Amino acid sequence: MRATSLRTLASIAAQRNLSMRRWDFVAAYLQGDLEQGEVVYCHPPPGYETTGPDGRTRVCRIVKPIYHMAQAGRRWQRSLFPWLMSWGFKQSHSDPCVFTCERTIEDIPQTLIIGCYVDDLFVLYSNDGPSSLYSAFTTALASRWNVEDEGPVSDLLNVDIATDADC
């Protein structure tokens, strides 16, 4: 997510009186998937034999993206973004890391706006009751991914965020 998008989302939250929470994906890159047919090898980690009994150098085949792999971030993005869109989110044209979803639940219009930054979600929402869009989304999110709710947003991308309750 671009810094300008973060400022815009914070402004929208203030303007529409939306709540803001941060969700963190635990070991996000490990939750991504390699593309079908993609084959990636790496050197064995320290402590493992690097030479086989036949004298040939051993390598490890990677089955999931790992940190420090050049394409790990992109593979993670290609796992998360389609899932968000299948859930009904629309991707922003101006910043592909910002998504919006609007639904009416029990005759109450509800909004979710998400900004993605590496392995964090900056989530803006209008309602948080048990039958709310936010509740349904976070339940689906936690059932699909290993995530942690880090609570109300106080900073993101080195920008401090204060709400009326904080002032």
Side-chain angles (χ1 to χ4, degrees):
M1 174 173 55
R2 298 179 182 127
T4 54
S5 296
L6 170 63
R7 288 191 297 271
T8 301
L9 292 181
S11 174
I12 289 170
Q15 215 172 32
R16 296 186 188 176
N17 198 29
L18 300 177
S19 298
M20 301 180 291
R21 292 185 81 82
R22 180 197 332 243
W23 286 76
D24 178 63
F25 290 90
V26 178
Y29 288 0
L30 302 178
Q31 295 187 60
D33 296 307
L34 295 176
E35 291 184 346
Q36 187 171 354
E38 183 176 18
V39 180
V40 179
Y41 295 95
C42 71
H43 296 285
Y48 282 82
E49 291 292 325
T50 57
T51 307
D54 58 1
R56 294 175 51 193
T57 302
R58 288 186 180 184
V59 293
C60 296
R61 182 173 180 181
I62 304 296
V63 295
K64 296 287 278 179
I66 58 175
Y67 286 87
H68 304 292
M69 193 170 103
Q71 63 269 47
R74 184 71 178 132
R75 297 300 173 262
W76 161 239
Q77 213 178 47
R78 286 187 178 171
S79 295
L80 176 62
F81 288 10
W83 182 84
L84 288 171
M85 292 168 56
S86 74
W87 215 82
F89 282 88
K90 292 186 173 101
Q91 192 171 28
S92 168
H93 295 288
S94 59
D95 185 337
C97 294
V98 174
F99 296 82
T100 58
C101 182
E102 295 180 321
R103 293 187 190 162
T104 300
I105 299 176
E106 297 177 359
D107 295 326
I108 300 170
Q110 299 187 31
T111 302
L112 274 180
I113 304 172
I114 293 179
C116 304
Y117 183 74
V118 186
D119 63 348
D120 288 329
L121 291 185
F122 178 66
V123 182
L124 286 65
Y125 56 97
S126 56
N127 304 76
D128 65 353
S131 61
S132 68
L133 179 59
Y134 174 76
S135 179
F137 171 72
T138 56
T139 299
L141 184 71
S143 68
R144 171 62 178 92
W145 310 98
N146 184 4
V147 292
E148 290 180 357
D149 179 359
E150 294 190 338
V153 174
S154 59
D155 69 277
L156 190 65
L157 304 178
N158 293 322
V159 175
D160 290 332
I161 297 174
T163 61
D164 285 343
D166 297 331
C167 298

